[in-house]
Amino acid sequence: MAVIQSLIIAFFGLAGLSPSSAQDILSDPGVAGPPVEIAHLYYDEWPTGIAVSSTGRKFSNYPPALDPTDSNYTVAELNSNTTEVPYPNAEINTPPGGRINYTTTPPTGANYQNYIIGSQSVVIDPADRLWILDTGRAATPNGTMVPASYGGPKLIGINLQNDSIFTTIVFSPEAAPSTSYLNDIRFDLTPSLTPSGQGIAYITDSSPEGTNAIVVVDLGAKSAWRHLINIPAVSATAGFVPTVWGQPIYSNGTNGQPIQNVDFGADGIALSADGATLYFSTTGGRELYAVPTERLRDNSPNSEILARASQVFLTGKGLTDGMESDSNNNIYMGNIEDNSISIYTPATGLLSTFVRDPRFSWTDTFSTATDGYLYFTENQLWRGAAYNGGVDRRVKPFVLFRVKLPDGGTKVTQPAP
């Protein structure tokens, strides 16, 4: 072996190098940007979302459709640095008979309107109210995601002053079909947007097997409609294979399905500071798109044609899950394949690296807070059983990080309707 090594060194002209010379070779530093702080460690259930209120209260959600072991609760308040408690209470997190109705063929999500079946997102709106987005879906023990039933997909608004539910918007099957997967949500509470003056919500439907779209909700009328239905901008890119920590990622769980590409559609979503533009991306591609919100709010007969004509491709950007914006109109997004968070600047059309850290394992969801920090979850999604042949390679704890927003940025706020 020594002889072979000597021949290789001689052939490539490396014979005179000392150990100190080898250390001078340029390497990736792996870190960039401002200091990153740990805000919470998750030792219990597997989180996706994070929402931070003006008083510093923190909430997360735990989707049973993506992880059947998220069974005790699907929304919780973080009540210490390492523990959580079901929110708003344990009862609403525990549907009678469970989250799945096994009396139907095939099994379906439970249809309770007064219980949370499976939350994929929790968001603090500009008026400091908490909203829980319920997909109405859960997974069987082998990871099979069951379809939703009417009553399951819904939006629940909670007054944080007294922790009471002030509204529940149950989505129709037209707005949220049984194979929908309501993923993330953003709010504009400008009174002039709707006759009720209660504002608008925009939701991504990232369904891996159904129809992808942007869902628009009139919060006062409690009505919802779909736009950009199944166009390429909201759909996974054919043959998409992301690489995280050097590993190509495929869907290859234990539910009897063949190995497939990562196929989640419209997922990340961010609203411009003035509310005029909605930015969105799939978790099955690397492209950033935008659409004028005026076109999405229109539900007239020609509105889908006009909405499709108005959406635009902005830039390639790497694999992204969650997105967020701030008062400076910066658009933040994870660059999962680079262990980093990027900023898209609409004024220039350019991307820049905001922060980078080798501890970033899958940047899932963001929350811009009034304390001037950007909070985000790192949850190792790609190491779950569904992407590793049924073997769960995740290692607890999962992490909530925070980093100071640049240039005095903060959360966009609005008065309550």
Side-chain angles (χ1 to χ4, degrees):
M1 179 63 69
V3 173
I4 295 175
Q5 290 176 336
S6 299
L7 290 173
I8 292 174
I9 290 173
F11 180 82
F12 286 101
L14 305 177
L17 288 182
S18 66
S20 60
S21 299
Q23 292 173 5
D24 294 335
I25 297 173
L26 184 67
S27 62
D28 184 346
V31 295
V36 178
E37 304 173 18
I38 295 175
H40 187 82
L41 298 175
Y42 300 88
Y43 285 95
D44 191 12
E45 296 198 353
W46 178 77
T48 57
I50 178 63
V52 182
S53 78
S54 65
T55 61
R57 296 175 69 181
K58 302 176 184 67
F59 306 88
S60 280
N61 66 276
Y62 313 81
L66 300 186
D67 185 349
T69 67
D70 282 350
S71 57
N72 294 325
Y73 49 84
T74 185
V75 176
E77 182 169 6
L78 316 187
N79 63 348
S80 78
N81 291 334
T82 57
T83 59
E84 307 89 39
V85 60
Y87 187 85
N89 53 61
E91 180 183 6
I92 196 173
N93 277 271
T94 314
R99 306 183 190 283
I100 297 178
N101 180 2
Y102 286 99
T103 68
T104 61
T105 305
T108 54
N111 63 354
Y112 296 109
Q113 298 185 17
N114 298 322
Y115 294 85
I116 310 171
I117 308 305
S119 176
Q120 176 60 31
S121 184
V122 287
V123 172
I124 300 288
D125 74 10
D128 207 37
R129 304 175 299 179
L130 179 70
W131 295 84
I132 298 171
L133 184 60
D134 191 351
T135 67
R137 305 186 70 177
T140 61
N142 73 354
T144 301
M145 192 188 308
V146 302
S149 300
Y150 174 71
K154 54 188 171 287
L155 183 60
I156 302 170
I158 298 180
N159 181 347
L160 292 179
Q161 301 301 313
N162 55 19
D163 298 319
S164 65
I165 295 174
F166 67 86
T167 190
T168 299
I169 301 172
V170 178
F171 297 121
S172 69
E174 291 72 32
S178 62
T179 55
S180 66
Y181 196 77
L182 304 178
N183 195 301
D184 208 351
I185 184 168
R186 294 296 178 266
F187 295 87
D188 188 344
L189 304 181
T190 304
S192 60
L193 297 182
T194 64
S196 71
Q198 298 296 302
I200 288 284
Y202 306 97
I203 301 172
T204 48
D205 182 347
S206 64
S207 175
E209 82 277 38
T211 300
N212 303 123
I214 304 295
V215 181
V216 187
V217 187
D218 182 327
L219 298 174
K222 296 188 175 185
S223 60
W225 55 94
R226 297 168 71 85
H227 270 319
L228 307 183
I229 303 166
N230 243 25
I231 67 170
V234 300
S235 305
T237 302
F240 178 63
V241 182
T243 300
V244 184
W245 288 12
Q247 176 178 320
I249 308 302
Y250 296 89
S251 295
N252 59 347
T254 58
N255 57 3
Q257 297 298 314
I259 293 175
Q260 302 177 62
N261 295 105
V262 176
D263 54 2
F264 275 96
D267 187 327
I269 186 172
L271 192 62
S272 62
D274 62 4
T277 305
L278 189 75
Y279 300 89
F280 61 94
S281 174
T282 74
T283 307
R286 299 184 179 91
E287 298 78 30
L288 178 65
Y289 295 89
V291 62
T293 53
E294 179 182 13
R295 294 271 60 89
L296 298 177
R297 294 192 300 272
D298 182 3
N299 194 28
S300 65
N302 296 330
S303 60
E304 175 67 353
I305 295 294
L306 294 171
R308 291 183 178 213
S310 67
Q311 62 85 28
V312 293
F313 166 78
L314 296 175
T315 183
K317 50 153 185 62
L319 169 63
T320 293
D321 194 325
M323 296 169 56
E324 184 59 292
S325 57
D326 69 5
S327 58
N328 290 327
N329 206 36
N330 289 321
I331 309 301
Y332 301 89
M333 61 199 77
N335 187 343
I336 295 170
E337 293 170 296
D338 187 49
N339 304 335
S340 68
I341 296 171
S342 301
I343 296 177
Y344 175 75
T345 305
T348 64
L350 298 179
L351 281 175
S352 59
T353 297
F354 175 42
V355 64
R356 189 165 181 245
D357 194 302
R359 295 174 297 176
F360 294 176
S361 59
W362 181 283
T363 306
D364 198 305
T365 303
F366 295 96
S367 178
T368 302
T370 55
D371 63 5
Y373 280 88
L374 180 68
Y375 292 78
F376 52 98
T377 52
E378 296 288 344
N379 66 12
Q380 306 172 41
L381 181 147
W382 65 280
R383 294 174 64 88
Y387 303 95
N388 292 278
V391 179
D392 189 351
R393 298 173 57 212
R394 298 172 300 177
V395 179
K396 294 180 181 179
F398 311 114
V399 187
L400 172 65
F401 287 108
R402 74 173 190 171
V403 62
K404 196 69 175 177
L405 291 163
D407 304 319
T410 188
K411 182 181 179 68
V412 174
T413 60
Q414 296 174 300

